[in-house]
Amino acid sequence: LGVSGLGTDAWTGKDVLSILDFSRPDLELLFETTDRFVGLPDRVPKTLADRIAATAFFEPSTRTRLSFTTAALKLGAKVIDLSPDVSSVLKGESLPDTIRMLESYADMIIMRHPSEGAALLASEVSGVPIINGGDGSQHHPSQAMLDLYTIRSLKGGVDGLRYAIVGDLRYSRTAASFLYGLTRYRPGSVYLVSPDGLRLRNEVRETIGALGLKAEQLDSLDPILDKVDVIYMNRIQKERFPDPNEYEKVKGSYRITRSTLSNAKDAIVLHPLPRLNELAYDVDGLPNAAYMKQARFGVPVRMALLHLVMGGGER
Ligand code: CP
């Protein structure tokens, strides 16, 4: 499954903390490796046989935890799960000590934590690769990778397209990571669509600006609906609001429905899921709805990621 002409050094044995740690050729290697897994559904090589993956999710997850687990199992690995609610985390064991235990049991640790920087801290004490499945509002690198892979698959590429990133841009790690991923490409235009209280955080704006990504802030999707190729919806991250009154002010402040999309032509609608009120169920039947395909790509993209991190690109 090696891809000639592309280096694997960026992946083998590395932590996956942020998509910013990866260059465009690194991402292309991931996507070409994913293509090979998508093309081999019945003949998946067991490149992780004899390996053990540990999952440690300190926050709820359906897609990230279970698609990483599925990816590892399909490649022949065994998976152990920390389950913080029945582990010694409940007795007060620290994150570094917990990670030190997991690294002595497993060859890779896939984790999610509500605190920003938790995956970085884990990487500093772990001798095995840390895969960040989300740390607070900061990073969700594998989500951005599968988002870009979805766009590449459905639109033929990422460059030159016009993007609307919609919703809670303040607290969504998916929105931040997607924007970081776009800095590796040359999008046609990027619109940030959010209510006033949910605008992009300065540190994210400054990072993408320093990397040359230009983005225009808008209050409403309506004026650009017929001008965009990708609409990336994001849930309001209720759990991250420091003040419940602030959540009350913005809840329900944006929503797309089948009728919203009547001018959207062939724009695809992405959403990392889970969805709440911001994305109506009546969108599901439209050809624009791409979020279930996006979620399904989570398995092959994460297979490719684990395969490369475990040195599979060199076999
Ligand atoms: N997209 C995503 O991160 O979903 P989960 O929270 O279910 O993992």
Side-chain angles (χ1 to χ4, degrees):
L1 278 166
V3 179
S4 61
L6 292 170
T8 57
D9 285 356
W11 291 99
T12 304
K14 297 288 171 64
D15 302 306
V16 181
L17 304 181
S18 163
I19 195 169
L20 289 170
D21 299 334
F22 297 90
S23 67
R24 180 170 178 148
D26 301 334
L27 294 175
E28 289 304 318
L29 173 62
L30 177 79
F31 299 151
E32 291 180 27
T33 308
T34 305
D35 286 341
R36 284 160 170 75
F37 285 124
V38 170
L40 291 174
D42 303 321
R43 292 182 292 118
V44 175
K46 304 296 181 206
T47 60
L48 298 192
D50 304 325
R51 309 285 195 144
I52 296 178
T55 54
F57 278 64
F58 296 82
E59 256 192 3
S61 168
T62 296
R63 278 147 291 272
T64 309
R65 184 169 64 88
L66 293 178
S67 64
F68 264 122
T69 300
T70 304
L73 292 172
K74 278 181 177 270
L75 292 171
K78 295 182 175 60
V79 180
I80 58 172
D81 181 47
L82 173 72
S83 303
D85 53 345
V86 290
S87 76
S88 288
V89 171
L90 282 191
K91 300 177 204 163
E93 187 157 36
S94 68
L95 180 65
D97 277 358
T98 303
I99 295 296
R100 284 186 191 103
M101 292 303 101
L102 294 184
E103 69 143 359
S104 71
Y105 307 144
D107 301 292
M108 67 203 98
I109 299 170
I110 302 152
M111 64 177 284
R112 170 175 287 184
H113 200 282
S115 300
E116 299 184 359
L120 175 64
L121 174 64
S123 73
E124 288 167 358
V125 298
S126 173
V128 303
I130 296 290
I131 315 292
N132 182 7
D135 62 326
S137 302
Q138 205 160 38
H139 294 292
H140 194 347
S142 65
Q143 179 68 47
M145 291 167 188
L146 75 90
D147 298 339
L148 293 169
Y149 183 81
T150 304
I151 294 162
R152 178 182 176 275
S153 298
L154 301 184
K155 291 288 190 184
V158 176
D159 291 331
L161 299 181
R162 299 157 301 174
Y163 295 86
I165 302 156
V166 184
D168 181 356
L169 308 185
R170 183 175 177 81
Y171 295 113
S172 294
R173 56 194 170 207
T174 52
S177 290
F178 183 67
L179 285 163
Y180 294 151
L182 281 185
T183 67
R184 294 338 194 201
Y185 291 85
R186 292 183 295 279
S189 11
V190 178
Y191 300 101
L192 304 173
V193 185
S194 70
D196 202 30
L198 295 176
R199 299 262 157 96
L200 210 59
R201 296 192 308 282
N202 282 343
E203 91 242 17
V204 181
R205 181 183 295 284
E206 284 163 13
T207 301
I208 63 171
L211 292 167
L213 188 73
K214 293 187 175 55
E216 185 181 336
Q217 178 70 52
L218 297 173
D219 295 324
S220 165
L221 186 59
D222 296 339
I224 53 160
L225 260 175
D226 61 347
K227 298 186 183 66
V228 292
D229 304 294
V230 177
I231 300 168
Y232 192 134
M233 295 298 294
N234 286 276
R235 173 178 70 88
I236 297 190
Q237 310 281 303
K238 180 181 180 185
E239 66 276 25
R240 306 209 191 285
F241 279 68
D243 177 353
N245 294 322
E246 291 303 308
Y247 170 72
E248 289 301 320
K249 281 187 207 161
V250 292
K251 83 170 181 195
S253 56
Y254 58 92
R255 174 173 165 84
I256 65 168
T257 63
R258 181 176 275 255
S259 75
T260 318
L261 292 173
S262 54
N263 291 333
K265 297 184 186 158
D266 59 355
I268 57 168
V269 178
L270 300 181
H271 192 306
L273 305 176
R275 66 172 139 181
L276 297 177
N277 195 39
E278 70 283 350
L279 176 56
Y281 282 85
D282 68 3
V283 175
D284 293 5
L286 293 176
N288 313 75
Y291 32 89
M292 292 299 167
K293 271 186 199 149
Q294 175 190 7
R296 281 195 287 273
F297 279 136
V299 172
V301 170
R302 289 174 170 130
M303 286 169 75
L305 186 157
L306 296 179
H307 171 81
L308 291 172
V309 167
M310 288 290 108
E314 292 176 346
R315 290 182 185 191

